[in-house]
Amino acid sequence: MQTATIDFAPFNALSDRDAQTRIAAARAKLGERAVILCHHYQRADVYAHADLTGDSLKLSRLASQSDAEYIVFCGVHFMAEVADILSRPEQISILPDLAAGCSMADMANRAKVERCWRELSTVLDPDETVTPVTYINSSADLKAFCGEHGGIVCTSSNASKILDWSFARREKVLFFPDQHLGRWSGHKMGIPLEQMVLWNPDLPMGGLTPEEIRGAKIILWHGYCSVHQMFRPQRIERFRAQHPEGKVISHPECCFEVCAASDVVGSTETIIRVVKESPAGTRWLVGTELNLVERLAKEVAPQGKIVEFMADMVCMCSTMQRIDPQHLAWTLENLAAGNVVNRIEVPEHEAKLAKIALERMLDAS
């Protein structure tokens, strides 16, 4: 029987140690009724409680396969939306702190994308010639837009496969919201940079001429990750000068110049796998979020591997950082008491269309 919701205020004053103790106690009460999913960028004191970890593609699959009544997503808002869309109707998706959003996802919204589609229609028929592709780092209504218009979702793990799928159906792609992932993925396919144009949603016609639109293979949205944009090629140059034997690995959300200067470019799962599988004594410069890099550095240190962070300053996903032990303890204690807090529930009409785009991605991956 549901009781009065436990207020968060007392939890905000908890020490980290007390929060950890209460997390363990609440989890013991819940047993298998709850599963905790954590993205690789999650802070260490929360990541330690994860039942399942991974990048966006892996977590999408895990969310669809879970048998738990409650899916507690330690990530950001769009991840919990994906869990709600792909899980069974009776399952409940929860985000411990509703303020955990994504600045990149916020750079594209349904109104702006629909306006872009209308403006493109003055030059060509987008539903005949353009496949909309949204990075999974986007809101559910944009995934629904793709589902409605013959489009698809991608992740950093499968973007190249998804572009192959898209070009097999239509001659052009509208890729949002991350321009860098789209540009690097197109480059790997051999598409010239001049055929990948940038659509600025704050300008009429995206700031493009009809000729530029007609000549483009990929129309890239003017969006980016606030973390990965901090990495610069000059840092790679310094690393190579100091450590000629060293290797550089970067996430494809980094700018083109950083990706081009790297030895390996790949998703978080790829970064972890490549570094762990490298020979003992290897030195790596890693261009992705700080929590992942610090965790990876500790894990491979016993093999004599050295992992360095690419930025010269502290650079982490500040919104994912909002999921802290205090919010996780509060969430789990409420669930143990029969109270559902911070449920993420995508409207049925959006969820149906978004699921089409997500299932196209899972089938194509």
Side-chain angles (χ1 to χ4, degrees):
M1 180 179 295
Q2 184 164 336
T3 60
T5 301
I6 303 169
D7 186 58
F8 175 70
F11 288 81
N12 204 31
L14 282 180
S15 68
D16 286 347
R17 176 178 291 184
D18 288 343
Q20 302 289 357
T21 300
R22 293 175 71 160
I23 289 169
R27 292 196 72 192
K29 290 181 182 178
L30 286 164
E32 296 183 357
R33 294 176 62 207
V35 63
I36 299 176
L37 274 60
C38 281
H39 190 271
H40 289 307
Y41 294 162
Q42 187 59 63
R43 51 192 287 170
D45 51 7
V46 171
Y47 194 86
H49 295 287
D51 296 306
L52 303 167
T53 63
D55 62 5
S56 294
L57 177 59
K58 182 178 177 181
L59 291 175
S60 296
R61 293 188 187 280
L62 292 172
S64 69
Q65 297 165 1
S66 172
D67 292 325
E69 181 181 350
Y70 305 117
I71 301 172
V72 181
F73 217 123
C74 296
V76 292
H77 197 274
F78 73 80
M79 297 178 185
E81 285 186 332
V82 170
D84 179 60
I85 293 165
L86 293 178
S87 59
R88 298 189 307 279
E90 67 272 16
Q91 292 178 297
I92 294 173
S93 179
I94 294 168
L95 185 66
D97 186 348
L98 295 179
C102 173
S103 59
M104 179 204 292
D106 292 341
M107 291 178 186
N109 60 42
R110 179 81 184 224
K112 289 183 177 180
V113 170
E114 287 183 337
R115 187 175 73 239
C116 168
W117 206 249
R118 289 195 302 271
E119 291 181 340
L120 287 173
S121 70
T122 66
V123 177
L124 42 78
D125 183 346
D127 282 299
E128 291 292 329
T129 59
V130 181
T131 303
V133 178
T134 188
Y135 190 21
I136 199 165
N137 299 37
S138 61
S139 60
D141 59 357
L142 290 187
K143 296 178 177 73
F145 176 90
C146 290
E148 183 178 0
H149 291 275
I152 193 168
V153 180
C154 79
T155 72
S156 56
S157 297
N158 63 17
S160 294
K161 287 183 180 179
I162 297 308
L163 286 181
D164 282 335
W165 182 96
S166 302
F167 285 124
R169 285 152 180 80
R170 298 173 186 170
E171 63 183 81
K172 300 179 189 294
V173 161
L174 172 63
F175 192 100
F176 50 89
D178 182 33
Q179 60 173 301
H180 300 302
L181 175 61
R183 185 179 291 110
W184 183 251
S185 301
H187 168 72
K188 288 198 301 180
M189 297 179 69
I191 298 174
L193 292 180
E194 58 270 21
Q195 291 182 18
M196 294 186 280
V197 298
L198 192 62
W199 182 279
N200 186 335
D202 295 324
L203 297 175
M205 294 297 293
L208 300 173
T209 65
E211 291 73 21
E212 287 172 321
I213 292 170
R214 293 189 190 99
K217 284 290 290 180
I218 302 179
I219 301 168
L220 301 165
W221 196 265
H222 192 275
Y224 53 84
C225 170
S226 58
V227 172
H228 289 93
Q229 72 161 350
M230 302 297 291
F231 304 128
R232 309 310 305 163
Q234 292 82 358
R235 178 68 179 87
I236 299 177
E237 293 170 6
R238 293 205 311 274
F239 175 80
R240 293 200 187 281
Q242 295 166 356
H243 309 288
E245 79 291 353
K247 298 292 184 180
V248 179
I249 188 166
S250 300
H251 194 281
E253 289 177 19
C254 296
C255 70
F256 182 83
E257 292 77 12
V258 166
C259 292
S262 300
D263 297 297
V264 182
V265 178
S267 67
T268 53
E269 288 281 305
T270 297
I271 290 171
I272 292 168
R273 176 181 54 78
V274 169
V275 173
K276 285 187 174 182
E277 292 177 357
S278 65
T282 311
R283 181 184 291 268
W284 289 91
L285 183 69
V286 181
T288 195
E289 200 270 346
L290 180 61
N291 283 304
L292 183 155
V293 177
E294 289 187 336
R295 186 180 304 118
L296 182 59
K298 291 177 182 177
E299 290 177 0
V300 301
Q303 291 86 51
K305 299 175 190 177
I306 299 173
V307 173
E308 296 183 31
F309 185 53
M310 192 178 287
D312 293 323
M313 64 193 77
V314 173
C315 185
M316 61 184 66
C317 182
S318 59
T319 50
M320 193 157 327
Q321 196 79 358
R322 291 179 179 273
I323 308 293
D324 55 23
Q326 290 74 16
H327 279 89
L328 183 56
W330 171 73
T331 299
L332 295 176
E333 285 197 12
N334 267 294
L335 291 178
N339 308 312
V340 174
V341 292
N342 289 4
R343 179 174 185 177
I344 302 299
E345 193 169 13
V346 179
E348 185 177 354
H349 68 285
E350 282 184 7
K352 183 178 180 180
L353 290 169
K355 189 172 185 179
I356 291 171
L358 284 162
E359 288 181 339
R360 286 171 182 157
M361 175 190 75
L362 295 174
D363 290 342
S365 300

